[in-house]
Each structure stands twice: as C-alpha cells, then as structure tokens.
Amino acid sequence: MNFTANTELRRIALLLAIGFALSWYFGTLWPAALLPIAYIGYSFGQLVRFHRWIMRYPDDWEPPEGTGAWGELFDAIYRMLRKEYAARDELQQLISRAESSVTALRDAVVVVDKRGRLEYWNLAAERLLGFRAPQDRRQTFTNLVRDPRFVTYLQAGNFDQPIDLPSPLDDNVQLEYTITRFGAGEWLVLVRDVTRLHNLEQMRKDFVANVSHELKTPLTVLKGYLETLIDTMPPEQKRMHRALLQMNQQSQRMEALINDLLLLARLEGTEADKHNQRVQIAPMLRRLRQDGQATDPEKNHELQLEVDPAAAVLGDPAELQSAFGNLITNAVKYTPQNGRIEIRWWEDDKGGHLSVHDNGVGIDPRHIPRLTERFYRPDSSRVTQTGGTGLGLAIVKHVLIRHNARLEIQSLPGKGSTFTCHFPPHRLAPAQSVEEAG
C-alpha cells in the first residue's frame, strides 16, 4: 500500500512538473491548471464506475478494470472477494455436511430458543415426537410434549439427569430426553428411543419381585421348622444345636434379603402417593434412636438426637421410617465400640435436612458414587461380618426419589461418614396448632 501511494505521488508530481513546464514554455498558466483538472476528472470517472459496480453487486461481483492506483484497488478488491467466496463455499459445505449428519441420526435433535419455542428439528424428531414442518415451527415445546412430568422437569431447571417419558405418539414407546443449555438461554434437546432398555429393566424388576415372592413362602416354612427343632433339641446334642442355630441365623438373613427385595420392587413398581400424610419427624427419630441402641448394645454406642419437636414433612410414614432406619442401622453396624453417632434434623430456606454422622471406619471416596447400587459392597468381607443385605442404601435412594429428595454422602477412611437427606421446601408440613395436634 505504501508502494502504491508513493507511486501515485510520483505520478502526480510528474504531472504537475509537466504542466508547469508547458506553462513556462508557452507563457500561460492554462497547461498547469488543465492537467490537474484532467487528473481529477479521470479519478471521478473511476469513482463513478466503482459506484455503479457496488450498486450491481452481488449480481456482478467482478470489479471494473482500471489503471494506476484505481487498478490496484480494483485488483485488491477482486482478490478479497475471491477469498470471501471461497470461505463462504467452504462454510456452506460444512453446514450442509452438519445438516446431513444430523438428519441421518436415529435420535431426535431439537433446538429450542430461550422462550421455549422450536427453532430446528431433524427427521427423527418428526418420527419420534410427531413434529410437522413448517406448521410446528416457533411453537412452544411443551404444547407438543404435554406430559406434566416433563413440564415439572423443565420448571425445576436441573438437567443433570435425563428423564424417561412415553412418546406423545405411542404410549408403548419409551423416550429419553436429555437437555443441554447453550448460547443465550437456548436448549439442545436429544431424544432417543429406550423402549428396549425400558422393557429389559421392567423384566428384571418383575423377575426379582416374582422370585422374591415365591421364595418367601418356602423360607417361612423352613424357618418355622428350624425354630421348632431348636426348641425341642436335647441340650446334650451341642453340635446339632449349633448347626441349627447357624441355619436359623442364615435363614433370618435370607428373609431380610427377600423383604428388602420385595420393598424395592414395590418402590420401583408403584407411583408415589400424591396425597401425602403429615409425618412427625421427632417421634419417628426417637423410636429409631432407641432401636439403634438396641441393635448392638455390646458396642456401647452414644447416639445423640437433635430435632425440633414440631418438625414434620409430607410423605409416606412407612417409607420414611424405612429410609431413616437404614441410615441409622448402617451407622451402628459400621461404627466401632464406644463410637459416637449424631442424628440431626434441621430446616432452612432450602428445605428440611436429616443427617446421620458417625465416627466409624469411613468409606474410600472412590466408592461413594456407587454406594446406592444394589448389592454394591466396598468391602465384601466387612459387610458379610455385619450381616447386611447390600440393599439398604438402594432403598434409601428410591424412598427419597419418591419424596422429591436426594441423598448426599460424605466420608473418608478412618474419619467416619455423614449421610444427609435433603427434602425440598414444598415437602415441609406447616406447623400445627395445639388443638390440631391434639
């Protein structure tokens, strides 16, 4: 550019020199005036040609021919346009490939703007969700997917976990919705058909429930005969008596396992009762504290309880007692002799909270994400010694899910563990007057 400017300045200087030379030669100023005017006229003509080309662009995207500085300017614009067109073609090809890839997906892809309206979807969305183009464009997503559970899921705003719902077109088709936020409040919704996985999971649940139910009757009969034999066995047959006691102990453990499996099957196979009862927290925790002290009195545990006598939640009392009891029983089992267990209930603006803290053996943090899985045991030998079924925390998780709550686990080896149940504010029951309580 500097070279062009210098060249043009030299050209103008040469033109002025010629004009002044002619004026000196002919003894008049006209040559010195006419030559600059001619240069200005030439530049004005080039400017008019440039303006006409701009007005015709992009129908005519090749700039006009020119000489001097104008020619170099036109050439520079021409090269810039060629690069722009090349970049535009590359971008268009990239967009076309992306659209072709999204269209070929078996899973539905839906883009929703910050107002919840549909902006884009692929062919799979039309097949799985029944969207129609262009009629449904700019429609509100929840007008087309009307399941109340999906509306509640969106209003909660927590998209860490996907949600499974029946298809709007066919109740026998199960869909999984995964929502990712991007941009200025937009959503990217991925929907995939999980009917096969759903059916396999339902088969597993039905199998466990049926087998557990079928085992319960013969086990009850076997346990009854063992108790009869233990009571009628002569004292001198010590070896037989010891064998019967071990058999009875294992039958009790199997009975506890079957009961837990049946409870899990019921929790997973039934809907939570929407007409929840008012559950008083303080009396329940006092009973569970007494049961915890009686579980293993030889360990001489110190169980402390801190709870507001008026605390209450809306829920199922049997399910909540089962969940809280499992947490307290686990603390008693895995806390050494003369240990300390703290049971605390408190409320704040985030809801109600129950924590069970112990100074027991603790758990390695790498096991914590899987503790609520069925039969998962960080240390199988330790669980075998305590007689656990490996289902307690799974029951706790499902009970809390049915009460819109969540379980938080904090633990370190040798430092003890803290299990905290967090209940949302709408689960807290309003305070009762003395007359209502009576």
Side-chain angles (χ1 to χ4, degrees), residues 145-200:
V145 182
R146 295 177 176 270
D147 195 302
R149 290 168 292 180
F150 186 68
V151 176
T152 303
Y153 177 73
L154 294 179
Q155 292 175 347
N158 183 9
F159 304 142
D160 294 339
Q161 297 295 330
I163 182 173
D164 292 353
L165 298 171
S167 169
L169 303 178
D170 186 356
D171 291 340
N172 295 321
V173 177
Q174 197 75 7
L175 302 180
E176 180 187 76
Y177 295 79
T178 303
I179 299 179
T180 303
R181 291 188 179 94
F182 74 98
E186 290 98 346
W187 298 342
L188 178 65
V189 184
L190 301 180
V191 185
R192 66 189 187 106
D193 189 344
V194 292
T195 305
R196 180 175 177 273
L197 295 177
H198 178 76
N199 292 339
L200 290 174

Side-chain angles (χ1 to χ4, degrees), residues 390-406:
L391 296 173
L393 290 180
I395 293 174
V396 172
K397 182 185 74 171
H398 282 85
V399 169
L400 294 181
I401 290 175
R402 290 165 65 90
H403 289 77
N404 313 115
R406 63 183 179 88

Side-chain angles (χ1 to χ4, degrees), residues 274-428:
K274 296 182 180 179
H275 304 286
N276 293 308
Q277 304 178 32
R278 180 186 176 88
V279 182
Q280 297 288 341
I281 297 297
M284 178 185 294
L285 292 182
R286 292 193 194 103
R287 292 194 302 269
L288 294 175
R289 175 178 175 271
Q290 294 175 356
D291 295 343
Q293 288 177 329
T295 300
D296 198 347
E298 296 180 357
K299 287 188 175 181
N300 193 27
H301 288 146
E302 179 186 358
L303 275 74
Q304 291 190 346
L305 175 60
E306 179 183 347
V307 58
D308 184 354
V313 297
L314 299 175
D316 186 291
E319 292 183 7
L320 292 176
Q321 180 167 333
S322 176
F324 297 166
N326 271 301
L327 293 178
I328 296 174
T329 301
N330 284 346
V332 172
K333 287 181 178 179
Y334 300 120
T335 301
Q337 192 171 2
N338 299 321
R340 178 187 177 93
I341 300 172
E342 299 175 0
I343 307 168
R344 178 172 174 253
W345 173 273
W346 76 97
E347 298 176 5
D348 54 25
D349 56 348
K350 296 182 179 179
H353 316 274
L354 171 74
S355 68
V356 179
H357 172 74
D358 64 70
N359 59 352
V361 295
I363 306 168
D364 194 310
R366 64 190 177 91
H367 295 296
I368 290 179
R370 300 189 59 190
L371 283 181
T372 55
E373 296 180 9
R374 300 183 182 198
F375 303 111
Y376 182 78
R377 298 178 174 183
D379 187 346
S380 58
S381 62
R382 186 181 71 187
V383 177
T384 303
Q385 293 173 1
T386 58
T389 62
L391 296 173
L393 290 180
I395 293 174
V396 172
K397 182 185 74 171
H398 282 85
V399 169
L400 294 181
I401 290 175
R402 290 165 65 90
H403 289 77
N404 313 115
R406 63 183 179 88
L407 178 64
E408 179 184 2
I409 305 174
Q410 296 177 343
S411 184
L412 288 174
K415 301 291 186 179
S417 306
T418 302
F419 292 79
T420 307
C421 305
H422 299 285
F423 292 85
H426 71 268
R427 279 287 174 180
L428 298 182

